[in-house]
Amino acid sequence: MKNTQTNSYAEVNGKQVSNGKEEIVDIGDEVDAVQEAIGNLGRWQIYVCLAISLVKFPIAWHQLAIVFMAPHQNFNCTSPAHTETSNQCVVNVNGTLAECTEWEYDRSTFTETIISQWNLVCSRTHYANIQQSILMFGVLLGNIIFGNIADRYGRKMPLMIAVVLQLVSGIGCAVVPWFPALLLMKLLSALATGGTMVTSYVICMEIVGTQWRAAITVLYQIPFSLGHMSLAGFAFLFRHWQHLQIAITLPSIILLSYWWVVPESPRWLLAFGKQRAACRILQKGANINQIKNKDIPDMVRKHCLQQNSKRSHLDYKASFLDLFRTPNMRIKSLSIFFNWIVCGMGLFGMSQYIGQVGGNIFINFTVSGAIQIPGNFVAWWAMNKLGRRITLICSNSIAGVAALLLIIVSDDIAWLRLILVCSAIVGMSVSFTTAYLFSGELFPTVIRNIGVGTSSMCARIGSISAPFIVSLDHLQTWLPPACFGILPLIGAALCFLLPETVGCTLPETLEDGENFGKKPHKIKKNPKDIEAEAAL
């Protein structure tokens, strides 16, 4: 039997007006206007996602450049006198101990660094650590600020603001003559980096079909690993930190083309009632994907009717508190946030461990980036075959067990310790990729950017703590691997509180987000929703 639908609108002089008949809309069937209009994955989505993935290169460069701009550097006191002792911070002058004021630096690897230019040694060593803390704090702040702006005012404009800020502040870092000014420019650069991270990923997530989210998430992460590897090449060519800073900043000029290349998220436009703009973007995507015979305005109208029946006034005033306002969202938010802390701490911390192996700094850094790429492809396979939750549980468990085994493996068996560290890094790489996709699917559209931004903020908290955990080695050698082992196992246990999201339609409203993952008998309809359905 063929289903028929009564059209309650007649076309009059190019306009649709009500014909007085009652319109029947089946609320029971989920209508995803975006996926129906442009398909799961076509040339348009590939084109947009590839363009957006380029932003991950400068993200990697600006986050990791500190490794080459402020490396460990040997130095010798030159004023007020030379000294042959191991302590190059204090010198004996005519029987009196005096603090050194000038130093000569080992420039065999790097001609000039932030350390050597501003003498960040001895009593000024902590300034280099402050710079690293400001960098991570700036990324964290950018995740929060741009995440909130993108949920309120759209995805595209905050992305463009972040790209411009990254370009201007990056050049500013290379030309400022004072160290306090450098710290300010680094803060602004990190703020922009955090903004590009959170807004770019959400755009990709909101234009592809459910079965392709895992693939897009993996492809989105690979440019970061490639940026990680290529940074070693930039540092090898540009041994002066200012030249390196300019080299990693100028390519962002290409990203200004996003104004013409990257569209606004059609899901965000639909969620906030901007139907005409959404129709234009979806029609363009459908044309490029060669999808014909689709009544996009009608699909958009049905989509909005369906979502409006479930939307409350809180959806228009979505905020950070909505992540914790209701019980189910609160459990999901806290569980995924803890896993993000583990990912940031484990990946950054274990990367520091591989740096302690010794050898050429450029080769070691390239290897630490290269071994993350296989982890991305393992994540792709596992997320589709095993699901998001099982993949995150397994990858966290592998990383945790590998780290704990470092406690019992002797330092004399260097090759085995290296294998364990690499295993932990690959495990954390898989966890990072999975957590990106998982969090993007758990949060509803109206707070997705806030949720993903807060998630990324939690990763920054983990990465800030990583150096301090590594430094626990001075107290007991088993403390760092114990922390890097136990916390991922706790994260794996918390994953059992999360629902599986593979193949699921993205939740749109706060009600969708709260009901997502609940058992059917636990879902209760609001009386107002029942009245709305009856009216429709």
Side-chain angles (χ1 to χ4, degrees):
M1 181 177 177
K2 186 177 179 180
N3 292 329
T4 59
Q5 180 180 342
T6 303
N7 188 1
S8 61
Y9 292 87
E11 185 137 347
V12 179
N13 296 329
K15 297 181 180 180
Q16 286 189 329
V17 297
S18 176
N19 60 14
K21 296 181 181 180
E22 183 181 356
E23 182 181 15
I24 301 173
V25 179
D26 187 0
I27 301 298
D29 295 333
E30 288 290 332
V31 179
D32 190 341
V34 176
Q35 201 163 324
E36 288 188 24
I38 60 178
N40 292 313
L41 184 69
R43 286 191 295 178
W44 182 70
Q45 288 103 317
I46 294 173
Y47 171 65
V48 172
C49 290
L50 283 176
I52 291 179
S53 68
L54 295 178
V55 80
K56 296 292 282 187
F57 280 90
I59 286 175
W61 295 337
H62 287 284
Q63 275 193 288
L64 302 173
I66 193 71
V67 173
F68 300 103
M69 291 184 181
H72 173 74
Q73 212 169 357
N74 294 324
F75 57 92
N76 294 305
C77 180
T78 59
S79 178
H82 287 271
T83 177
E84 300 298 329
T85 63
S86 58
N87 187 353
Q88 294 293 323
C89 298
V90 179
V91 63
N92 190 322
V93 180
N94 298 324
T96 303
L97 292 179
E99 291 188 357
C100 289
T101 55
E102 294 182 12
W103 296 267
E104 183 181 34
Y105 296 90
D106 177 12
R107 301 179 188 272
S108 58
T109 304
F110 299 100
T111 57
E112 188 75 281
T113 67
I114 292 174
I115 303 294
S116 59
Q117 179 162 335
W118 280 290
N119 291 322
L120 304 184
V121 294
C122 297
S123 61
R124 292 169 57 85
T125 302
H126 62 281
Y127 284 113
N129 298 329
I130 289 175
Q131 181 192 347
Q132 180 69 9
S133 298
I134 286 176
L135 180 68
M136 292 298 180
F137 177 74
V139 174
L140 183 153
L141 205 59
N143 293 153
I144 298 174
I145 293 174
F146 282 92
N148 278 277
I149 293 174
D151 275 334
R152 289 178 179 271
Y153 304 107
R155 320 306 198 197
K156 182 176 179 178
M157 186 57 69
L159 176 61
M160 293 306 307
I161 294 173
V163 167
V164 173
L165 180 60
Q166 189 178 68
L167 183 61
V168 173
S169 59
I171 295 175
C173 288
V175 298
V176 290
W178 310 287
F179 185 70
L182 174 66
L183 295 180
L184 176 61
M185 289 294 105
K186 283 290 184 182
L187 176 64
L188 294 177
S189 177
L191 195 75
T193 299
T196 56
M197 288 170 64
V198 68
T199 53
S200 59
Y201 177 69
V202 170
I203 292 176
C204 292
M205 281 289 299
E206 292 182 340
I207 64 173
V208 300
T210 55
Q211 64 265 48
W212 287 101
R213 290 182 204 148
I216 293 302
T217 300
V218 170
L219 295 175
Y220 179 79
Q221 296 300 327
I222 288 175
F224 183 90
S225 300
L226 295 176
H228 186 149
M229 297 167 61
S230 61
L231 178 60
F234 276 115
F236 183 81
L237 295 174
F238 302 98
R239 305 297 182 95
H240 194 295
W241 79 268
Q242 290 175 311
H243 300 163
L244 176 60
Q245 179 66 41
I246 293 175
I248 64 176
T249 300
L250 290 181
S252 293
I253 293 175
I254 299 173
L255 304 184
L256 296 176
S257 64
Y258 282 179
W259 182 257
W260 300 276
V261 173
V262 176
E264 180 56 86
S265 167
R267 287 193 186 276
W268 181 87
L269 291 171
L270 291 176
F272 283 82
K274 301 179 184 296
Q275 298 179 32
R276 289 187 178 180
C279 284
R280 286 195 297 269
I281 292 173
L282 292 175
Q283 189 63 62
K284 179 180 179 181
N287 292 339
I288 295 176
N289 290 347
Q290 298 181 347
I291 296 176
K292 300 178 181 178
N293 302 322
K294 291 283 187 180
D295 189 351
I296 293 178
D298 186 59
M299 286 189 290
V300 166
R301 180 175 54 82
K302 288 181 180 179
H303 180 100
C304 291
L305 282 172
Q306 185 183 72
Q307 295 306 319
N308 286 338
S309 70
K310 299 183 291 184
R311 183 172 286 122
S312 70
H313 70 282
L314 292 175
D315 286 317
Y316 297 99
K317 301 177 182 179
S319 68
F320 173 78
L321 295 178
D322 291 313
L323 297 171
F324 309 99
R325 197 182 303 277
T326 52
N328 193 29
M329 277 300 302
R330 183 161 53 245
I331 292 172
K332 291 186 293 187
S333 297
L334 292 174
S335 298
I336 198 68
F337 291 162
F338 183 85
N339 273 277
W340 273 87
I341 293 174
V342 169
C343 288
M345 177 208 66
L347 188 61
F348 190 79
M350 297 309 293
S351 295
Q352 282 192 318
Y353 253 73
I354 201 173
Q356 296 177 359
V357 174
N360 187 289
I361 185 175
F362 303 105
I363 294 176
N364 288 348
F365 193 80
T366 303
V367 169
S368 66
I371 61 177
Q372 295 177 34
I373 296 179
N376 289 326
F377 286 102
V378 170
W380 184 358
W381 174 85
M383 284 189 292
N384 284 323
K385 294 294 183 182
L386 306 177
R388 306 353 178 187
R389 184 173 64 175
I390 297 300
T391 300
L392 191 55
I393 291 171
C394 293
S395 57
N396 275 345
S397 299
I398 290 172
V401 171
L404 290 175
L405 288 175
L406 286 169
I407 299 175
I408 61 176
V409 175
S410 172
D411 292 341
D412 298 329
I413 315 177
W415 62 270
L416 182 55
R417 291 180 64 84
L418 180 60
I419 290 175
L420 290 174
V421 172
C422 289
S423 299
I425 290 177
V426 171
M428 283 290 95
S429 177
V430 173
S431 294
F432 229 126
T433 304
T434 307
Y436 249 112
L437 178 60
F438 211 175
S439 57
E441 293 176 332
L442 284 173
F443 300 114
T445 299
V446 292
I447 55 170
R448 184 168 296 121
N449 243 92
I450 296 175
V452 174
T454 306
S455 299
S456 191
M457 175 196 74
C458 291
R460 301 287 79 75
I461 293 174
S463 60
I464 290 172
S465 66
F468 298 100
I469 294 176
V470 173
S471 66
L472 294 176
D473 182 77
H474 298 297
L475 300 177
Q476 293 289 339
T477 56
W478 57 267
L479 281 176
C483 292
F484 292 134
I486 294 173
L487 292 177
L489 294 178
I490 296 175
L494 289 176
C495 289
F496 287 100
L497 300 175
L498 299 172
E500 182 54 69
T501 61
V502 63
C504 295
T505 301
L506 290 177
E508 298 277 352
T509 65
L510 292 177
E511 182 185 359
D512 288 340
E514 173 60 17
N515 291 336
F516 187 57
K518 280 185 178 180
K519 293 181 180 180
H521 69 273
K522 288 187 178 181
I523 300 177
K524 297 181 180 179
K525 286 191 175 182
N526 190 305
K528 292 182 179 179
D529 296 341
I530 298 175
E531 292 176 8
E533 291 182 10
L536 286 168

